[in-house]
Amino acid sequence: MVAKGDVFGPNQPLILHLLDIPPMMGVLEGVVMELADCALPLLHGVVPTDDPAVAFKDVSAAFLVGAMPRKQGMERKDLLSANVKIFKVQGEALDKHAKKDVKVLVVGNPANTNALVCSKYAPSIPKENFTAMTRLDQNRAQAQIAQKVGVPVGNVTNVIIWGNHSSTQFPDASHALVNISGKEVKATEAVKDDNWMRSVSFSGAAVIAARKMSSAMSAAKAACDHMRDWFLGTVPDKFVSMGVISDGSYGAPKDVVFSFPVATKAGKWQIVQGLPVDDFAKKMLAATGKELEEEKSEAMSVIEA
Ligand SMILES: NC(=O)C1=CN([C@@H]2O[C@H](COP(=O)(O)OP(=O)(O)OC[C@H]3O[C@@H](n4cnc5c(N)ncnc54)[C@H](O)[C@@H]3O)[C@@H](O)[C@H]2O)C=CC1
Ligand SMILES: O=C([O-])CC(=O)C(=O)O
């Protein structure tokens, strides 16, 4: 998707740096062969490597997907002790070798806390440049609302995912809009079922139960959506959800990577301010914020142990 122009546009040539661990180098060679066989005009080079220093050398964008996935019955935070050290190493390598304006998307779970750790170990790169992926949750929510209302998924916008990419996240459709026959209406009016709106679960666990593996295709698409919007900008008056460093907006704890509604322009994101938040939403935001603070202190104790 990246190499065929879905992220940086149809006129932007690129070089892909592909990082994996030493036992996977043979498999990675196969990926390199397939990329060549795809005959992608925008792909001007591929650098397969097991060395983070080579992988992150002068990169402008980093998709951090290399991490252990959870199995059925696990919570994403169960991956913390296995994965958090990867993001320390990758943060240090980004700090030393990447461009100072590199934009980083963390996909590996627990994504929010891994993004925070990565940023902590890359002090020469602005904290705003480290983000975590909640776009898959947003896309899942939009798809389910579109199906319920009976419109194409592109007609549903402004769904918000607040907080952690975990079971405490708060998927909030109260500001969502649905375009029905050219007229934009509130999703709550289009669905006309408040209980359904509040009870829909946008979790990856159902996919893991069916596939015995994490979401892959939809996660890749969401990563591309996230980076495209960050690099190329969001549509005016519309917002998307991204895990970003919290400034305390909407009462969220500061200095955790918290998913907010953001609008992007000229390569910068801004938290959309002033949206009304009711008591139910406040309670949900507090719960997911608390979990992120707990994950942060657990991550630091794993790293410092
Ligand atoms: N934020 C989100 O919405 C989503 C997050 N995920 C997460 O993404 C991560 C990857 O999931 P899958 O691709 O399904 O797993 P996978 O097991 O299929 O692939 C992981 C790859 O990362 C590599 N890897 C492991 N340690 C590494 C290291 N230190 N450096 C570089 N590469 C390394 C592995 O060798 C493997 O090739 C998991 O943590 C999963 O939970 C997956 C889907 C959605
Ligand atoms: O559920 C998982 O472990 C993988 C993931 O993050 C998702 O699909 O949202």
Side-chain angles (χ1 to χ4, degrees):
M1 289 182 205
V2 174
K4 98 184 164 36
D6 289 0
V7 177
F8 305 107
N11 301 313
Q12 177 62 58
L14 51 91
I15 297 171
L16 281 181
H17 290 208
L18 304 177
L19 174 69
D20 212 311
I21 49 178
M24 295 299 282
M25 286 302 104
V27 175
L28 195 54
E29 264 317 310
V31 175
V32 175
M33 289 176 211
E34 279 216 77
L35 280 167
D37 295 348
C38 284
L40 295 155
L42 293 174
L43 188 57
H44 285 202
V46 181
V47 181
T49 181
D50 58 9
D51 180 355
V54 174
F56 293 123
K57 180 80 187 143
D58 293 334
V59 295
S60 307
F63 294 72
L64 303 188
V65 301
M68 188 195 282
R70 68 175 169 151
K71 303 279 175 319
Q72 210 169 343
M74 288 168 84
E75 285 293 327
R76 296 185 185 102
K77 66 182 164 201
D78 298 334
L79 299 169
L80 202 142
S81 57
N83 286 344
V84 84
K85 289 182 181 154
I86 297 176
F87 293 88
K88 176 184 179 210
V89 171
Q90 298 194 352
E92 289 167 340
L94 281 160
D95 197 52
K96 277 206 205 98
H97 304 289
K99 289 197 176 137
K100 292 301 167 203
D101 64 351
V102 62
K103 291 183 175 35
V104 182
L105 166 64
V106 175
V107 174
N109 280 315
N112 300 52
T113 299
N114 288 338
L116 186 75
V117 167
C118 200
S119 161
K120 182 177 156 63
Y121 287 94
S124 69
I125 298 169
K127 283 187 166 40
E128 291 70 29
N129 293 26
F130 292 84
T131 62
M133 188 163 99
T134 51
R135 183 58 170 264
L136 178 52
D137 308 292
Q138 179 196 313
N139 287 350
R140 285 171 176 148
Q142 287 177 190
Q144 292 192 31
I145 292 169
Q147 203 170 16
K148 177 91 175 160
V149 179
V151 295
V153 70
N155 293 25
V156 181
T157 51
N158 289 5
V159 172
I160 304 171
I161 305 298
W162 297 98
N164 201 1
H165 174 63
S166 77
S167 48
T168 67
Q169 72 177 239
F170 174 38
D172 177 6
S174 65
H175 307 282
L177 300 171
V178 182
N179 190 314
I180 301 176
S181 313
K183 190 165 171 267
E184 212 152 55
V185 299
K186 292 199 82 170
T188 41
E189 285 160 27
V191 171
K192 291 193 194 76
D193 184 345
D194 285 353
N195 286 337
W196 183 86
M197 291 289 265
R198 283 201 171 168
S199 66
V200 176
S201 151
F202 306 123
S203 136
V207 175
I208 295 176
R211 269 171 40 84
K212 314 293 175 230
M213 285 191 286
S214 275
S215 296
M217 178 169 53
S218 58
K221 161 67 166 51
C224 290
D225 288 347
H226 176 119
M227 287 298 237
R228 183 201 57 230
D229 286 347
W230 194 2
F231 274 86
L232 304 184
T234 43
V235 177
D237 300 326
K238 299 288 186 235
F239 45 76
V240 296
S241 291
M242 284 169 53
V244 298
I245 188 74
S246 170
D247 61 356
S249 292
Y250 295 99
K254 284 189 185 165
D255 297 323
V256 295
V257 171
F258 194 97
S259 181
F260 287 106
V262 300
T264 60
K265 204 173 166 187
K268 303 243 182 270
W269 54 262
Q270 263 198 324
I271 297 172
V272 175
Q273 299 292 346
L275 297 170
V277 172
D278 65 14
D279 285 347
F280 173 76
K282 278 189 194 140
K283 239 176 36 201
M284 300 298 281
L285 262 67
T288 193
K290 182 164 172 279
E291 182 183 52
L292 280 167
E293 286 187 306
E294 287 164 4
E295 276 186 22
K296 176 180 171 177
S297 58
E298 200 184 325
M300 293 314 156
S301 57
V302 168
I303 287 173
E304 282 153 17

